Amino acid sequence: LVLSGKGGVGKSTVSTQIAQSLSSRGYSVGLLDVDICGPSIPRMAGVIGQTVHQSAQGWQPVYANPNLAVMSISFLLEEGDAAVVWRGPRKNGLIKQFLTETDWGDDGLDYLIVDTPPGTSDEHISIVQY
């Protein structure tokens, strides 16, 4: 869980670098962007413009490389950089779906890196609850 009480300190950069480094060592890594109002992980991971597909097993994340799966609200929007202004229950519901309905693969993950928004908001509480 990568977090900070302040914005603009490099959380998304650190999250992406940790995920890339672990995946380059052969680990199966998930990179989850729970910054619902300002998702930046797809741009950082080089998978901007991709879409998520749903199957019987759940949402299929986008793969930045064979060992690095990425999930973000950006993949669910018509315009990936569109502003999302959601509050409380709606954000919590999406985070729960990301955690419980994403198919990270048959063998699961070795690591799940979670990029969070600045501050101490709903996203932080939700991620540890689920």
Side-chain angles (χ1 to χ4, degrees):
L1 186 62
V2 179
L3 57 94
S4 170
K6 215 173 139 51
V9 297
K11 291 178 299 299
S12 297
T13 301
V14 168
S15 299
T16 304
Q17 291 300 313
I18 290 170
Q20 292 280 6
S21 180
L22 290 168
S23 71
S24 73
R25 290 180 168 88
Y27 292 106
S28 178
V29 181
L31 180 54
L32 178 58
D33 188 355
V34 297
D35 189 348
I36 306 300
C37 298
S40 59
I41 290 298
R43 180 176 307 281
M44 297 266 186
V47 292
I48 202 159
Q50 301 292 318
T51 57
V52 171
H53 302 284
Q54 196 153 21
S55 71
Q57 290 78 30
W59 285 342
Q60 302 298 309
V62 171
Y63 281 82
N65 69 48
N67 294 329
L68 178 55
V70 180
M71 179 56 92
S72 172
I73 191 172
S74 178
F75 301 135
L76 304 173
L77 303 172
E78 283 187 33
E79 294 181 36
D81 59 351
V84 177
V85 183
W86 288 358
R87 296 183 53 146
R90 196 140 187 217
K91 283 198 281 188
N92 293 343
L94 182 64
I95 291 168
K96 183 177 181 180
Q97 280 186 291
F98 278 164
L99 290 171
T100 61
E101 297 178 21
T102 301
D103 178 16
W104 296 107
D106 294 337
D107 296 327
L109 297 173
D110 296 314
Y111 294 95
L112 177 62
I113 309 300
V114 182
D115 182 54
T116 65
T120 53
S121 59
D122 294 333
E123 293 89 340
H124 302 92
I125 296 167
S126 295
I127 203 77
V128 295
Q129 281 182 333
Y130 305 117

